Amino acid sequence: MEYIKHAMIATWKMSLDGMHQAYEDLFVKDDRKAALLTAITDVENNPDYHYVGYGGFPNACGIVETDASYMDGNTMQFGAVAGLRDIASPIAVAMELSGKTKDCFLCGEGAKQYAVEHGFESKEMLSNYACQQYKQHRKSIMEHDTVCMIAKDSVGLSCGVSTSGLPFKHPGRVGDSPVIGSGFYCDSLVGSAAATGNGEDVMRGCLSFSVVSFIKAGMDVQKACETALFEHLDRLKTAGYKAGDISLIAMDRYGRCGVATDMKQFPFVMMDDKHPDASVYVCRNENGTMHIQKADEQWLSSWQGD
Ligand code: GLY
C-alpha cells in the first residue's frame, strides 16, 4: 500500500493560490493545521471570491454572514461558527473553538462576541462589488462555491471549511458547512470528506460522514465519494426531490484522494509529496461516471466559475 506522508485537496480553482502559500506549512513544517489556515484565509481575504469571506455576497439585508468549521482527525475535536458577522477570518475562529470541549459550535451574536473577546480581527466583510451586486441582482444569483480543504501531515488528517453561504439568503440561514457529518468529517484512522453545493440539499443526509463510513467499510476513496453522493441523490429522487449542485472531496488515511460531483464539471486542487506543486484538476461527470484530469491551459483560461 502506497503511503503518502503529506497531501492536501481543496474545492474549486480559487484554492490554488492559498495551496501554493501553504507549501511550507505542509511539506517543511509538517503542520496540517497551519497549512489549512494559510490556504483557507487566502481565499477568505480575496475579494474576487463571492461565496467565501471578505467580498462574499451578503444576506437579504445586505450583511455578510459566514459559516466555517474545522475538525482534527486525531483528537476528533471540532469547532464551528455560523452566521458570524464582521470577523475577517471565520476559519481562524473555528480552529480556536476546536480546542474546546464545550462551546465549540457558536452562532450569531455569541460567535461574534467570542471572536471579539479573543482578539480576532474585526472587519466589514461587504465589498463594494458585492454590495453593488446585492442592489442589482439579489433575486437572481443562486449558485455558490464553498471552500473545503483536507490536509494530511505525518501524524494525521484535518479538514476545514469556510463560506458566506447562499447569496442573499434569509438572515440567520445556516448551510451544511459548519454542520459536522454533513458539510465535513475527519477521522485520521479512516479518512476525511467535505461537501460544497447547496447546503439544504447536502443536509438532507450526512454526506461527509457517509463517505468516511464507506471508506471504513473497505471502499476505495474514489468509490466512497461516488457511492455516498449518488445514493444520496437517488434517495432524494425517490422522495420526489431533485437536488441541486453537490460536489465532494475526500482523502483516506493513506493520503489518497477522491472526488465526486453531480455537476458537469467540478474543479479542485491537489498537492502531495510526489506532486508538491499544487495543481488544478477537473472532475468531469459523464452520466454518473467521474473522469479526472489535470486542467490544461485552455481550461484554466476559460473557467469563470469561482
Ligand atoms: N454549502 C454551503 C452552504 O450551503 O451554505
Side-chain angles (χ1 to χ4, degrees), residues 130-151:
C131 181
Q132 195 185 19
Q133 294 298 306
Y134 164 74
K135 287 179 183 154
Q136 288 173 0
H137 301 294
R138 65 176 176 266
K139 293 203 168 36
S140 56
I141 301 177
M142 283 312 292
E143 78 271 17
H144 69 111
D145 306 333
T146 298
V147 64
C148 308
M149 300 197 186
I150 301 167

PDB file of all heavy atoms in Angstrom, residues 130-151:
ATOM      1  N   ALA A 130     -19.652  43.406  -4.027  1.00  0.00           N
ATOM      2  CA  ALA A 130     -20.734  42.539  -3.527  1.00  0.00           C
ATOM      3  C   ALA A 130     -21.961  43.375  -3.185  1.00  0.00           C
ATOM      4  O   ALA A 130     -23.105  42.958  -3.407  1.00  0.00           O
ATOM      5  CB  ALA A 130     -20.250  41.745  -2.315  1.00  0.00           C
ATOM      6  N   CYS A 131     -21.725  44.592  -2.691  1.00  0.00           N
ATOM      7  CA  CYS A 131     -22.821  45.492  -2.338  1.00  0.00           C
ATOM      8  C   CYS A 131     -23.601  45.904  -3.597  1.00  0.00           C
ATOM      9  O   CYS A 131     -24.833  45.890  -3.627  1.00  0.00           O
ATOM     10  CB  CYS A 131     -22.231  46.704  -1.613  1.00  0.00           C
ATOM     11  SG  CYS A 131     -23.485  47.862  -1.094  1.00  0.00           S
ATOM     12  N   GLN A 132     -22.837  46.211  -4.631  1.00  0.00           N
ATOM     13  CA  GLN A 132     -23.450  46.612  -5.913  1.00  0.00           C
ATOM     14  C   GLN A 132     -24.274  45.452  -6.498  1.00  0.00           C
ATOM     15  O   GLN A 132     -25.396  45.643  -6.961  1.00  0.00           O
ATOM     16  CB  GLN A 132     -22.286  46.941  -6.846  1.00  0.00           C
ATOM     17  CG  GLN A 132     -22.600  47.689  -8.063  1.00  0.00           C
ATOM     18  CD  GLN A 132     -21.301  47.795  -8.886  1.00  0.00           C
ATOM     19  OE1 GLN A 132     -20.341  47.045  -8.697  1.00  0.00           O
ATOM     20  NE2 GLN A 132     -21.288  48.729  -9.791  1.00  0.00           N
ATOM     21  N   GLN A 133     -23.702  44.236  -6.466  1.00  0.00           N
ATOM     22  CA  GLN A 133     -24.418  43.055  -6.978  1.00  0.00           C
ATOM     23  C   GLN A 133     -25.687  42.807  -6.171  1.00  0.00           C
ATOM     24  O   GLN A 133     -26.724  42.426  -6.710  1.00  0.00           O
ATOM     25  CB  GLN A 133     -23.517  41.815  -6.920  1.00  0.00           C
ATOM     26  CG  GLN A 133     -22.328  41.872  -7.839  1.00  0.00           C
ATOM     27  CD  GLN A 133     -22.743  41.951  -9.303  1.00  0.00           C
ATOM     28  OE1 GLN A 133     -23.502  41.128  -9.794  1.00  0.00           O
ATOM     29  NE2 GLN A 133     -22.273  42.980  -9.996  1.00  0.00           N
ATOM     30  N   TYR A 134     -25.589  43.022  -4.877  1.00  0.00           N
ATOM     31  CA  TYR A 134     -26.748  42.856  -3.985  1.00  0.00           C
ATOM     32  C   TYR A 134     -27.870  43.799  -4.423  1.00  0.00           C
ATOM     33  O   TYR A 134     -29.032  43.406  -4.528  1.00  0.00           O
ATOM     34  CB  TYR A 134     -26.299  43.141  -2.556  1.00  0.00           C
ATOM     35  CG  TYR A 134     -27.422  43.383  -1.576  1.00  0.00           C
ATOM     36  CD1 TYR A 134     -28.210  42.332  -1.130  1.00  0.00           C
ATOM     37  CD2 TYR A 134     -27.681  44.671  -1.094  1.00  0.00           C
ATOM     38  CE1 TYR A 134     -29.241  42.554  -0.217  1.00  0.00           C
ATOM     39  CE2 TYR A 134     -28.704  44.894  -0.185  1.00  0.00           C
ATOM     40  CZ  TYR A 134     -29.487  43.836   0.246  1.00  0.00           C
ATOM     41  OH  TYR A 134     -30.496  44.058   1.131  1.00  0.00           O
ATOM     42  N   LYS A 135     -27.493  45.034  -4.724  1.00  0.00           N
ATOM     43  CA  LYS A 135     -28.519  46.013  -5.115  1.00  0.00           C
ATOM     44  C   LYS A 135     -29.142  45.651  -6.459  1.00  0.00           C
ATOM     45  O   LYS A 135     -30.336  45.819  -6.660  1.00  0.00           O
ATOM     46  CB  LYS A 135     -27.902  47.408  -5.181  1.00  0.00           C
ATOM     47  CG  LYS A 135     -27.623  47.956  -3.787  1.00  0.00           C
ATOM     48  CD  LYS A 135     -26.995  49.325  -3.845  1.00  0.00           C
ATOM     49  CE  LYS A 135     -26.662  49.807  -2.445  1.00  0.00           C
ATOM     50  NZ  LYS A 135     -25.567  50.768  -2.426  1.00  0.00           N
ATOM     51  N   GLN A 136     -28.317  45.099  -7.371  1.00  0.00           N
ATOM     52  CA  GLN A 136     -28.825  44.848  -8.734  1.00  0.00           C
ATOM     53  C   GLN A 136     -29.460  43.479  -8.925  1.00  0.00           C
ATOM     54  O   GLN A 136     -30.391  43.330  -9.695  1.00  0.00           O
ATOM     55  CB  GLN A 136     -27.673  44.982  -9.733  1.00  0.00           C
ATOM     56  CG  GLN A 136     -27.243  46.421  -9.915  1.00  0.00           C
ATOM     57  CD  GLN A 136     -25.992  46.520 -10.761  1.00  0.00           C
ATOM     58  OE1 GLN A 136     -25.446  45.525 -11.211  1.00  0.00           O
ATOM     59  NE2 GLN A 136     -25.516  47.727 -10.953  1.00  0.00           N
ATOM     60  N   HIS A 137     -28.904  42.459  -8.251  1.00  0.00           N
ATOM     61  CA  HIS A 137     -29.268  41.076  -8.639  1.00  0.00           C
ATOM     62  C   HIS A 137     -29.801  40.241  -7.492  1.00  0.00           C
ATOM     63  O   HIS A 137     -29.782  39.023  -7.571  1.00  0.00           O
ATOM     64  CB  HIS A 137     -28.025  40.338  -9.179  1.00  0.00           C
ATOM     65  CG  HIS A 137     -27.410  40.978 -10.356  1.00  0.00           C
ATOM     66  ND1 HIS A 137     -28.034  41.071 -11.565  1.00  0.00           N
ATOM     67  CD2 HIS A 137     -26.208  41.580 -10.505  1.00  0.00           C
ATOM     68  CE1 HIS A 137     -27.234  41.691 -12.410  1.00  0.00           C
ATOM     69  NE2 HIS A 137     -26.126  42.010 -11.792  1.00  0.00           N
ATOM     70  N   ARG A 138     -30.216  40.821  -6.432  1.00  0.00           N
ATOM     71  CA  ARG A 138     -30.425  39.982  -5.262  1.00  0.00           C
ATOM     72  C   ARG A 138     -31.519  38.933  -5.401  1.00  0.00           C
ATOM     73  O   ARG A 138     -31.615  38.051  -4.571  1.00  0.00           O
ATOM     74  CB  ARG A 138     -30.617  40.796  -3.996  1.00  0.00           C
ATOM     75  CG  ARG A 138     -31.849  41.664  -3.934  1.00  0.00           C
ATOM     76  CD  ARG A 138     -31.856  42.295  -2.530  1.00  0.00           C
ATOM     77  NE  ARG A 138     -32.938  43.216  -2.362  1.00  0.00           N
ATOM     78  CZ  ARG A 138     -32.819  44.519  -2.576  1.00  0.00           C
ATOM     79  NH1 ARG A 138     -31.675  45.012  -2.990  1.00  0.00           N
ATOM     80  NH2 ARG A 138     -33.837  45.313  -2.391  1.00  0.00           N
ATOM     81  N   LYS A 139     -32.247  39.005  -6.502  1.00  0.00           N
ATOM     82  CA  LYS A 139     -33.265  37.958  -6.679  1.00  0.00           C
ATOM     83  C   LYS A 139     -32.784  36.856  -7.626  1.00  0.00           C
ATOM     84  O   LYS A 139     -33.414  35.820  -7.748  1.00  0.00           O
ATOM     85  CB  LYS A 139     -34.554  38.565  -7.217  1.00  0.00           C
ATOM     86  CG  LYS A 139     -35.201  39.472  -6.186  1.00  0.00           C
ATOM     87  CD  LYS A 139     -36.680  39.646  -6.416  1.00  0.00           C
ATOM     88  CE  LYS A 139     -37.407  40.298  -5.278  1.00  0.00           C
ATOM     89  NZ  LYS A 139     -36.682  41.334  -4.566  1.00  0.00           N
ATOM     90  N   SER A 140     -31.636  37.073  -8.293  1.00  0.00           N
ATOM     91  CA  SER A 140     -31.313  36.134  -9.365  1.00  0.00           C
ATOM     92  C   SER A 140     -30.106  35.225  -9.119  1.00  0.00           C
ATOM     93  O   SER A 140     -30.047  34.149  -9.682  1.00  0.00           O
ATOM     94  CB  SER A 140     -31.114  36.888 -10.675  1.00  0.00           C
ATOM     95  OG  SER A 140     -30.123  37.863 -10.500  1.00  0.00           O
ATOM     96  N   ILE A 141     -29.134  35.613  -8.295  1.00  0.00           N
ATOM     97  CA  ILE A 141     -27.940  34.769  -8.152  1.00  0.00           C
ATOM     98  C   ILE A 141     -28.214  33.653  -7.161  1.00  0.00           C
ATOM     99  O   ILE A 141     -28.567  33.896  -6.023  1.00  0.00           O
ATOM    100  CB  ILE A 141     -26.726  35.602  -7.685  1.00  0.00           C
ATOM    101  CG1 ILE A 141     -26.436  36.709  -8.675  1.00  0.00           C
ATOM    102  CG2 ILE A 141     -25.501  34.714  -7.506  1.00  0.00           C
ATOM    103  CD1 ILE A 141     -25.318  37.622  -8.287  1.00  0.00           C
ATOM    104  N   MET A 142     -28.055  32.423  -7.594  1.00  0.00           N
ATOM    105  CA  MET A 142     -28.356  31.304  -6.701  1.00  0.00           C
ATOM    106  C   MET A 142     -27.152  30.401  -6.441  1.00  0.00           C
ATOM    107  O   MET A 142     -27.083  29.726  -5.442  1.00  0.00           O
ATOM    108  CB  MET A 142     -29.496  30.444  -7.281  1.00  0.00           C
ATOM    109  CG  MET A 142     -30.867  31.076  -7.089  1.00  0.00           C
ATOM    110  SD  MET A 142     -31.168  31.664  -5.425  1.00  0.00           S
ATOM    111  CE  MET A 142     -31.237  30.126  -4.525  1.00  0.00           C
ATOM    112  N   GLU A 143     -26.207  30.333  -7.384  1.00  0.00           N
ATOM    113  CA  GLU A 143     -25.117  29.375  -7.211  1.00  0.00           C
ATOM    114  C   GLU A 143     -24.143  29.855  -6.125  1.00  0.00           C
ATOM    115  O   GLU A 143     -24.158  31.041  -5.768  1.00  0.00           O
ATOM    116  CB  GLU A 143     -24.364  29.143  -8.536  1.00  0.00           C
ATOM    117  CG  GLU A 143     -23.399  30.219  -8.903  1.00  0.00           C
ATOM    118  CD  GLU A 143     -24.043  31.329  -9.728  1.00  0.00           C
ATOM    119  OE1 GLU A 143     -25.284  31.437  -9.756  1.00  0.00           O
ATOM    120  OE2 GLU A 143     -23.291  32.101 -10.314  1.00  0.00           O
ATOM    121  N   HIS A 144     -23.347  28.960  -5.618  1.00  0.00           N
ATOM    122  CA  HIS A 144     -22.302  29.376  -4.687  1.00  0.00           C
ATOM    123  C   HIS A 144     -21.270  28.273  -4.529  1.00  0.00           C
ATOM    124  O   HIS A 144     -21.540  27.108  -4.793  1.00  0.00           O
ATOM    125  CB  HIS A 144     -22.887  29.756  -3.327  1.00  0.00           C
ATOM    126  CG  HIS A 144     -23.429  28.599  -2.569  1.00  0.00           C
ATOM    127  ND1 HIS A 144     -22.845  28.128  -1.434  1.00  0.00           N
ATOM    128  CD2 HIS A 144     -24.474  27.806  -2.809  1.00  0.00           C
ATOM    129  CE1 HIS A 144     -23.527  27.095  -1.003  1.00  0.00           C
ATOM    130  NE2 HIS A 144     -24.527  26.875  -1.814  1.00  0.00           N
ATOM    131  N   ASP A 145     -20.077  28.671  -4.123  1.00  0.00           N
ATOM    132  CA  ASP A 145     -18.942  27.749  -4.030  1.00  0.00           C
ATOM    133  C   ASP A 145     -18.307  27.881  -2.649  1.00  0.00           C
ATOM    134  O   ASP A 145     -17.815  28.944  -2.309  1.00  0.00           O
ATOM    135  CB  ASP A 145     -17.876  28.107  -5.065  1.00  0.00           C
ATOM    136  CG  ASP A 145     -18.436  28.183  -6.475  1.00  0.00           C
ATOM    137  OD1 ASP A 145     -19.433  27.500  -6.753  1.00  0.00           O
ATOM    138  OD2 ASP A 145     -17.865  28.927  -7.276  1.00  0.00           O
ATOM    139  N   THR A 146     -18.304  26.814  -1.916  1.00  0.00           N
ATOM    140  CA  THR A 146     -17.696  26.804  -0.578  1.00  0.00           C
ATOM    141  C   THR A 146     -16.256  26.338  -0.686  1.00  0.00           C
ATOM    142  O   THR A 146     -15.960  25.434  -1.462  1.00  0.00           O
ATOM    143  CB  THR A 146     -18.483  25.816   0.308  1.00  0.00           C
ATOM    144  OG1 THR A 146     -19.820  26.287   0.414  1.00  0.00           O
ATOM    145  CG2 THR A 146     -17.869  25.681   1.686  1.00  0.00           C
ATOM    146  N   VAL A 147     -15.363  26.933   0.105  1.00  0.00           N
ATOM    147  CA  VAL A 147     -14.009  26.394   0.136  1.00  0.00           C
ATOM    148  C   VAL A 147     -13.936  25.319   1.220  1.00  0.00           C
ATOM    149  O   VAL A 147     -14.267  25.545   2.381  1.00  0.00           O
ATOM    150  CB  VAL A 147     -12.931  27.491   0.304  1.00  0.00           C
ATOM    151  CG1 VAL A 147     -13.032  28.227   1.632  1.00  0.00           C
ATOM    152  CG2 VAL A 147     -11.540  26.876   0.187  1.00  0.00           C
ATOM    153  N   CYS A 148     -13.554  24.110   0.793  1.00  0.00           N
ATOM    154  CA  CYS A 148     -13.354  22.970   1.700  1.00  0.00           C
ATOM    155  C   CYS A 148     -11.941  22.456   1.444  1.00  0.00           C
ATOM    156  O   CYS A 148     -11.549  22.334   0.278  1.00  0.00           O
ATOM    157  CB  CYS A 148     -14.298  21.820   1.377  1.00  0.00           C
ATOM    158  SG  CYS A 148     -16.035  22.240   1.257  1.00  0.00           S
ATOM    159  N   MET A 149     -11.218  22.164   2.496  1.00  0.00           N
ATOM    160  CA  MET A 149      -9.864  21.624   2.314  1.00  0.00           C
ATOM    161  C   MET A 149      -9.609  20.513   3.320  1.00  0.00           C
ATOM    162  O   MET A 149     -10.090  20.564   4.456  1.00  0.00           O
ATOM    163  CB  MET A 149      -8.811  22.718   2.510  1.00  0.00           C
ATOM    164  CG  MET A 149      -8.927  23.876   1.550  1.00  0.00           C
ATOM    165  SD  MET A 149      -7.411  24.863   1.503  1.00  0.00           S
ATOM    166  CE  MET A 149      -7.947  26.213   0.451  1.00  0.00           C
ATOM    167  N   ILE A 150      -8.846  19.524   2.873  1.00  0.00           N
ATOM    168  CA  ILE A 150      -8.417  18.428   3.742  1.00  0.00           C
ATOM    169  C   ILE A 150      -6.896  18.360   3.625  1.00  0.00           C
ATOM    170  O   ILE A 150      -6.358  18.432   2.512  1.00  0.00           O
ATOM    171  CB  ILE A 150      -9.023  17.082   3.282  1.00  0.00           C
ATOM    172  CG1 ILE A 150     -10.550  17.157   3.285  1.00  0.00           C
ATOM    173  CG2 ILE A 150      -8.529  15.944   4.184  1.00  0.00           C
ATOM    174  CD1 ILE A 150     -11.228  15.990   2.564  1.00  0.00           C
ATOM    175  N   ALA A 151      -6.205  18.243   4.758  1.00  0.00           N
ATOM    176  CA  ALA A 151      -4.743  18.161   4.720  1.00  0.00           C
ATOM    177  C   ALA A 151      -4.267  16.999   5.582  1.00  0.00           C
ATOM    178  O   ALA A 151      -4.845  16.711   6.636  1.00  0.00           O
ATOM    179  CB  ALA A 151      -4.124  19.470   5.207  1.00  0.00           C
TER     180      ALA A 151
END
